[in-house]
């Protein structure tokens, strides 16, 4: 006994409306997430760049090479370091460094971290993976595009800015 089961037009329309609502909701959520992600990325990149430019105004770029060459931490060095630490804490920045880039990696001049894991003046580290493609820009003193990476530190936005001395040199 082959009986065909009939589905009413009202049931079909109800099912179609539910499917359309689920599809539209899912695409709306996806698009909203994409727009929000891009907006937050743009916001934090802009914020990082502004904070970095502000911090750079308080650093005497003419003394950086001398600090690195002599390893001497004078009063001006400690005042700048304290200012950078305060700046980092007050603005919710996780890491704030002043570095001297070389081909093999970076020499640390200021590390605003306190306690263990802090790089001392003249400390050396190889290049972070996020900046491998920008080494030439670092060495030439060019502005480096912000980097977002997901590695050993979790999601990390890194912003870098060259410091210019009074003679305009990096």
């Amino acid at each position: 006994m082959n009986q065909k089961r009939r589905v009413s037009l009202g049931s079909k329309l109800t099912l179609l409306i539910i499917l359309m609502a689920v599809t539209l909701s899912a695409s709306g959520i996806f698009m909203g997430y994409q727009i929000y992600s891009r907006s937050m990325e743009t916001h934090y990149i802009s914020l990082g760049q502004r904070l970095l430019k502000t911090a750079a105004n308080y650093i005497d770029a003419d003394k950086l090479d001398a600090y690195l060459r002599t390893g001497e931490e004078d009063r001006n060095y400690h005042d700048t370091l304290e200012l950078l630490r305060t700046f980092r804490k007050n603005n919710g920045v996780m890491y704030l460094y002043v570095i001297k880039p070389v081909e093999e990696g970076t020499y640390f001049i200021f590390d605003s971290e306190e306690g263990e894991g802090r790089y001392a003046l003249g400390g050396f580290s190889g290049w972070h993976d996020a900046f491998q493609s920008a080494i030439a820009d670092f060495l030439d003193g060019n502005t480096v595009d912000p980097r977002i990476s997901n590695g050993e530190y979790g999601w990390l936005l890194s912003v870098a800015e060259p410091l210019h001395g009074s003679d305009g040199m990096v």
Side-chain angles (χ1 to χ4, degrees):
M1 307 211 171
N2 280 338
Q3 286 186 348
K4 291 187 177 181
R5 184 166 180 210
R6 291 183 178 248
V7 179
S8 71
L9 183 58
S11 296
K12 289 178 184 177
L13 284 175
T14 301
L15 183 62
L16 180 63
I17 290 171
I18 290 171
L19 275 169
M20 286 175 46
V22 167
T23 302
L24 287 173
S25 295
S27 63
I29 290 169
F30 177 76
M31 288 175 20
Y33 175 76
Q34 293 297 321
I35 291 169
Y36 175 78
S37 294
R38 272 187 253 126
S39 173
M40 287 295 98
E41 184 178 309
T42 302
H43 168 73
Y44 282 111
I45 287 172
S46 175
L47 179 63
Q49 289 171 329
R50 287 191 317 265
L51 291 174
L52 199 57
K53 287 178 193 268
T54 301
N57 287 331
Y58 295 98
I59 298 170
D60 186 354
D62 293 328
K63 293 185 176 183
L64 298 179
D65 283 332
Y67 289 141
L68 197 55
R69 188 176 54 253
T70 64
E72 185 178 323
E73 299 179 9
D74 61 9
R75 178 154 176 75
N76 185 45
Y77 179 89
H78 286 285
D79 289 345
T80 303
L81 182 57
E82 275 308 308
L83 185 76
L84 292 175
R85 284 178 175 157
T86 302
F87 187 81
R88 179 183 59 80
K89 289 176 193 172
N90 290 345
N91 290 289
V93 175
M94 290 185 69
Y95 307 103
L96 180 60
Y97 307 119
V98 176
I99 59 169
K100 169 111 176 145
V102 294
E103 293 239 3
E104 303 80 31
T106 57
Y107 285 101
F108 286 79
I109 301 170
F110 291 103
D111 181 354
S112 64
E113 285 291 308
E114 297 178 79
E116 235 176 273
R118 175 184 175 280
Y119 286 96
L121 173 59
F124 181 80
S125 176
W127 287 102
H128 187 276
D129 291 342
F131 288 107
Q132 287 293 328
S133 61
I135 293 173
D137 285 331
F138 267 107
L139 296 175
D140 292 341
N142 297 328
T143 300
V144 177
D145 291 333
R147 308 292 168 142
I148 297 176
S149 61
N150 185 11
E152 65 182 291
Y153 305 108
W155 286 102
L156 190 64
L157 167 65
S158 300
V159 182
E161 184 75 27
L163 293 172
H164 300 277
S166 58
D167 59 0
M169 299 301 291
V170 178

